[in-house]
Amino acid sequence: MSTNSPHFLSIQRLETLPFSVSPMAVPSPPFSLSKHSPSNPPSFLASNPSLDPSKAPVLRPRNAFGSEANLGRVEQTRLRLWNNLKTNSDLRLQASRELPGLTKELESDKSERMERIEHGTDLFDEMKQRFLSFKKHKYMQNLELYEKLAKDQAPKFMVIACADSRVCPSSILGFQPGEAFVVRNVANMVPPYENGPSETNAGLEFAVNSLKVENILVIGHSRCGGIRALMSMHDDVETSSLIGSWVSVGMNARVRTKAATKLLNFDQQCKHCEKESVNCSLVNLLTYPWVEEKVRNGELAIHGGYYDFVDCAFEKWTLDYKESNPIGKSGKVAVKDRAFWF
Amino acid sequence: MGNLSQEEAIEGLKKLLIHNDKDEQLSKELETKIEKLISEFLGTTPHDCHPVRRILGGFQSFKTNKFDVYPELFSELAEHQTPKFLVFACCDSRVSPSNILDFQPGEAFMFRNIANLVPPFNQLRYSGVGAAIEYAVVKLNVENILVIGHSRCGGIDRLMELPEDGSTENDFIDDWVQIGLPAKAKVKAEFGHLPLDEQKRECEKEAVNLSLTNLQTYPYVRERMARKALALRGGYYDFVEGCFKLWEVKSIISTPIRS
């Protein structure tokens, strides 16, 4: 290449810009509202392109503090807003078959990009409203509790749940700030001690040894994509996907499920595996010596749960720990206090 | 029995809350009082109470106030999820994004780990985080990734207090928080003159930036960012001051320089 021809010197700078505050500004948090003096919320959509009113969500409260809407109405509004945003087909981006390339970006339709940026701003404006609503209706109403929590947390529960957007334990079981230390991963799995360090057992170590929680609850759920991936894996093939590597933790559950459900269809097998995997995780919890010790001393209880969002039902059971192996002679995990709520 | 009348009372109170949007609005104070009463009956206030009753009460409340009230929404969700967000948050009991940002069912695929750390792409280790990113980005096609840090984070505390000689007290926590060492190094270089507590606050935010950088080492993240199908943002929830910061990752290609 001739040295005289202009090169494309593309310098990619990764800038983390505070949301619409100039990078040189003194860091005053954009969302900050002093708890001592409720003033008008700052207008901080300075660099925001003008929003197309036809795309604006319905029923947006103008001013969080001036809003007279009661909680019931606001709840409906929020879910309706979500529906509007969800069904707006502009937001659904199609996967491109073309090779991605930086030059493509320069050529792409500017209005299309602006549309995406606008919707992004819509989403985050909505998020701002929600945070301000949380601050007004929860934080400021329970200032004493939050001040106490700010110093320390003492949750009674550690919850291990799936990352699935439909199964947040705070939503379905109503955990309030301070109540539950929550680890969420794909398919709510707990790897055994011998697998070595991972993010899940780092959380386990902290919850059990530092926070000294009294209950661990592992919650599985219906139509779990991770379990489905586990059940769909080929028996001998090494998987190169990270999903495959992770869900292999549940291989025991898959083996037991396939043995027990030969006559059922694939969907039913997956459902069985979802519960079996919870039990395997409960057993894996006991492979951690400091967990087993506390369970043996009665300081820690281990529970399994299953949330079925098709029928809206919740099943719960407690591991029945005995000095000997908690897996009985039949190969089933010993449980007690089984409950079914619907 | 005392229980029966309690249930009736809860039902009555709930009717007041749910149906009153058709009539005049309740005053804010009255509404708050009703909610407090309901939560006390259900045992969902953060007092000492039996763990099973606590969970049952929470589930009943969810079913009554959400699931049964929006059947179409939930039956659609039962078929598939199409969240717009992949959220990384800390396991800390005080910072559930569903509480502070009011994420509803179906909105956010949420991964919670110690100190909301995202390790760099590695096919041999950290498959848990990698699986979540792969699933959310490739299978669910989320459009936004949001990493939320917070004040007084125990994981960041431990990172900042890790001994320089590499010795560890904890099997797993220490191994995990070491992902944040680059953030610690940066904080020590820029803010080493500040007291340790303030350094920790800076590290909480710097760790979010580190996670955002690490996210871009995942090929599918990078590819989607390049065609503007995916946006990365960082957040910081300060529950001492009661505020939330939000920022975005932007990449800029400057104009070419001619010789």
Side-chain angles (χ1 to χ4, degrees), chain B residues 6-7 15 25 32 37 83 103 114 118-119 125 127 160 168 183 186-187 190-191 193 215 220 226 229-230 239 251 254:
Chain B
Q6 208 182 57
E7 274 169 23
K15 274 182 191 145
Q25 302 158 5
T32 317
L37 272 174
F103 280 115
I114 297 270
V118 179
R125 288 201 69 183
S127 60
M160 293 298 284
T168 59
K186 188 168 180 208
V187 166
E190 277 182 47
F191 303 104
H193 55 283
L215 273 168
Y220 17 87
L230 184 60
F239 50 63
S251 99
S254 68

Side-chain angles (χ1 to χ4, degrees), chain A residues 120-193:
Chain A
T121 317
D122 272 348
L123 283 177
F124 286 92
D125 201 44
E126 165 70 12
M127 192 180 286
K128 169 200 164 197
Q129 297 301 329
R130 291 188 188 182
F131 177 72
L132 294 177
S133 176
F134 156 74
K135 177 154 183 164
K136 183 186 177 197
H137 294 117
K138 301 250 173 85
Y139 190 96
M140 303 295 278
Q141 303 287 337
N142 297 290
L143 217 45
E144 219 180 282
L145 166 69
Y146 280 91
E147 280 170 354
K148 194 173 151 206
L149 280 179
K151 298 198 180 93
D152 216 352
Q153 55 168 333
K156 294 213 179 310
F157 283 93
M158 176 190 184
V159 177
I160 297 160
C162 185
D164 192 300
S165 63
R166 302 165 282 192
V167 303
C168 175
S170 308
S171 297
I172 62 174
L173 298 179
F175 286 116
Q176 298 303 309
E179 292 191 318
F181 187 84
V182 178
V183 170
R184 291 180 72 179
N185 62 32
V186 171
N188 45 271
M189 294 205 179
V190 180
Y193 182 74

Side-chain angles (χ1 to χ4, degrees), chain A residues 11 17 19 31 78 82 86 91 105 130 135 139 149-150 153 165-166 168 170 174 179 205 223 242, chain B residues 54 76-78 81 93-94 96 98 102 107 110 134 143 152 172-173 226 239 242 244 246-247 252:
Chain A
I11 302 167
L17 301 170
F19 186 63
F31 284 63
R78 281 199 288 264
W82 176 88
K86 187 174 105 72
L91 284 174
E105 286 314 297
R130 291 188 188 182
K135 177 154 183 164
Y139 190 96
L149 280 179
Q153 55 168 333
S165 63
R166 302 165 282 192
C168 175
S170 308
E179 292 191 318
E205 194 176 19
R223 308 230 172 129
L242 291 171
Chain B
R54 170 66 192 82
E76 200 185 321
L77 278 180
Q81 53 169 336
S93 62
R94 303 165 281 193
S96 165
S98 301
D102 201 33
E107 292 191 315
M110 208 180 295
E134 190 179 312
E143 295 163 8
R152 307 241 170 117
F172 303 120
I173 300 176
F239 50 63
F244 191 92
L246 184 68
W247 62 95
I252 298 165

Side-chain angles (χ1 to χ4, degrees), chain A residues 257-275:
Chain A
T257 297
K258 289 217 182 260
T261 58
K262 288 198 176 81
L263 298 176
L264 299 181
N265 67 36
F266 186 66
D267 279 345
Q268 291 166 323
Q269 289 186 332
C270 284
K271 187 166 178 129
H272 190 277
C273 190
E274 283 152 4
K275 297 187 192 180

Side-chain angles (χ1 to χ4, degrees), chain B residues 123-159:
Chain B
Q123 286 190 296
L124 299 176
R125 288 201 69 183
Y126 306 132
S127 60
V129 183
I133 298 174
E134 190 179 312
Y135 193 78
V137 173
V138 178
K139 304 264 188 271
L140 296 179
N141 280 306
V142 295
E143 295 163 8
N144 299 277
I145 303 185
L146 174 60
V147 181
I148 308 176
H150 72 96
S151 50
R152 307 241 170 117
C153 181
I156 299 293
D157 269 3
R158 183 64 198 144
L159 167 67

Side-chain angles (χ1 to χ4, degrees), chain B residues 27-176:
Chain B
S27 76
K28 245 317 65 314
E29 292 144 330
L30 186 54
E31 184 195 293
T32 317
K33 274 187 190 157
I34 292 179
E35 282 184 271
K36 274 196 171 146
L37 272 174
I38 294 181
S39 65
E40 266 162 22
F41 280 149
L42 290 175
T44 53
T45 44
H47 303 306
D48 285 340
C49 57
H50 192 275
V52 174
R53 278 205 305 273
R54 170 66 192 82
I55 304 174
L56 169 61
F59 182 68
Q60 280 174 341
S61 174
F62 162 72
K63 190 170 161 87
T64 313
N65 298 324
K66 290 265 171 79
F67 199 94
D68 291 341
V69 176
Y70 303 103
E72 280 163 22
L73 176 63
F74 281 95
S75 68
E76 200 185 321
L77 278 180
E79 297 305 316
H80 51 252
Q81 53 169 336
T82 51
K84 299 225 172 297
F85 290 91
L86 164 60
V87 176
F88 285 94
C90 187
C91 308
D92 194 300
S93 62
R94 303 165 281 193
V95 304
S96 165
S98 301
N99 282 327
I100 59 178
L101 298 177
D102 201 33
F103 280 115
Q104 300 299 314
E107 292 191 315
F109 192 83
M110 208 180 295
F111 194 88
R112 290 181 73 178
N113 64 29
I114 297 270
N116 41 274
L117 289 168
V118 179
F121 179 67
N122 187 329
Q123 286 190 296
L124 299 176
R125 288 201 69 183
Y126 306 132
S127 60
V129 183
I133 298 174
E134 190 179 312
Y135 193 78
V137 173
V138 178
K139 304 264 188 271
L140 296 179
N141 280 306
V142 295
E143 295 163 8
N144 299 277
I145 303 185
L146 174 60
V147 181
I148 308 176
H150 72 96
S151 50
R152 307 241 170 117
C153 181
I156 299 293
D157 269 3
R158 183 64 198 144
L159 167 67
M160 293 298 284
E161 285 170 5
L162 276 179
E164 299 293 330
D165 59 8
S167 62
T168 59
E169 280 172 23
N170 311 295
D171 285 336
F172 303 120
I173 300 176
D174 291 356
D175 182 277
W176 176 251

